[in-house]
Amino acid sequence: MDFSGHSQNLTHIGARPDVIVECGGSSWDAHGAILTSRCRFFKALLDLENGNEIRKVFIEGLDEYMVEYLLEYIYTGDYDWRKIQGNLTLTEAYMDAFDAADYFLLPDLCKLSEAAFIEMLQTILPAFQYNRRPDATHLFEVVKQVYAWKDTPAGKAFRPIVAGAMHSVQRGLNPAVFIDLIEEIPQLAVDILKFTIQRRE
């Protein structure tokens, strides 16, 4: 299949591209020197190849928009979440970015997405601190979205954060509504208990 019509040049640095990254129906011209110096995923792949010919890297398991986002991050350091949000919620965008960054072995981007998620949570939690029982719809949506990720890297990283948040605000929640949430997501109760025990240690 001819990808040339979809090729996008992410270089802008004057050197001749020597790598073509392909995903789905899109391809991107890139530089092996930049990719291998800034991303362990590409370093592991491209360092195994010799010669001066154009090398191709095929990405599977990720959406094209996410591959483009990651390549732009590698080149520029830009991680503007709006570029990947689209129809996703912010929570889903952070988790999507975390999983993709984990796939590409980009730990700094994982940390950035986790920090952004924590910052978002911190804007929601204060309303629950004084037992006023405000509307928990938004908070519960965030919880459900995190637990929908299940055993992905993002799910494993974000679940303890959510468990800690729910532990801190449980007195401000309507008990019946909180019980309904626990019955819907039993793992949340387990994670809150783990968080409580770890705090005592």
Side-chain angles (χ1 to χ4, degrees):
M1 184 176 181
D2 181 8
F3 291 97
S4 60
H6 303 281
S7 181
Q8 301 176 49
N9 191 332
L10 297 175
T11 57
H12 308 296
I13 64 172
R16 178 174 152 315
D18 58 354
V19 175
I20 298 174
V21 180
E22 296 185 353
C23 177
S26 297
S27 64
W28 299 266
D29 299 330
H31 302 85
I34 291 178
L35 297 180
T36 57
S37 66
R38 301 178 183 176
C39 178
R40 287 184 293 152
F41 173 85
F42 285 110
K43 182 175 177 60
L45 287 178
L46 299 175
D47 277 3
L48 297 176
E49 301 182 14
N50 298 315
N52 297 319
E53 71 278 2
I54 298 292
R55 294 164 290 178
K56 289 188 178 182
V57 176
F58 300 92
I59 305 296
E60 297 180 347
L62 292 179
D63 293 323
E64 296 167 41
Y65 76 88
M66 183 58 74
V67 173
E68 179 170 325
Y69 176 78
L70 292 173
L71 288 171
E72 289 186 356
Y73 171 76
I74 291 168
Y75 266 82
T76 68
D78 181 11
Y79 55 90
D80 185 348
W81 311 113
R82 292 172 297 181
K83 293 182 179 180
I84 56 171
Q85 186 173 359
N87 294 325
L88 302 175
T89 66
L90 268 178
T91 298
E92 291 168 337
Y94 299 147
M95 298 187 76
D96 214 8
F98 188 103
D99 280 338
D102 181 81
Y103 180 99
F104 266 57
L105 302 177
L106 293 166
D108 288 346
L109 185 56
C110 287
K111 292 176 183 176
L112 287 166
S113 62
E114 186 175 315
F117 175 70
I118 292 171
E119 183 177 352
M120 182 196 71
L121 267 183
Q122 288 173 341
T123 66
I124 302 173
L125 300 182
F128 297 87
Q129 298 296 327
Y130 302 104
N131 199 28
R132 289 177 290 179
R133 297 184 182 177
D135 183 1
T137 302
H138 185 197
L139 176 61
F140 284 11
E141 285 175 354
V142 170
V143 173
K144 291 175 184 179
Q145 287 160 14
V146 168
Y147 278 82
W149 250 252
K150 295 185 178 179
D151 293 325
T152 72
K156 292 177 181 178
F158 284 41
R159 267 174 36 192
I161 299 170
V162 166
M166 295 302 291
H167 177 273
S168 71
V169 303
Q170 56 186 316
R171 291 183 179 179
L173 297 172
N174 181 308
V177 175
F178 188 30
I179 290 171
D180 286 344
L181 180 66
I182 292 295
E183 289 179 345
E184 182 178 347
I185 312 173
Q187 185 62 45
L188 175 60
V190 175
D191 291 341
I192 293 174
L193 178 60
K194 287 180 180 178
F195 178 84
T196 303
I197 294 171
Q198 289 168 352
R199 285 192 66 186
R200 293 174 181 170
E201 293 178 351

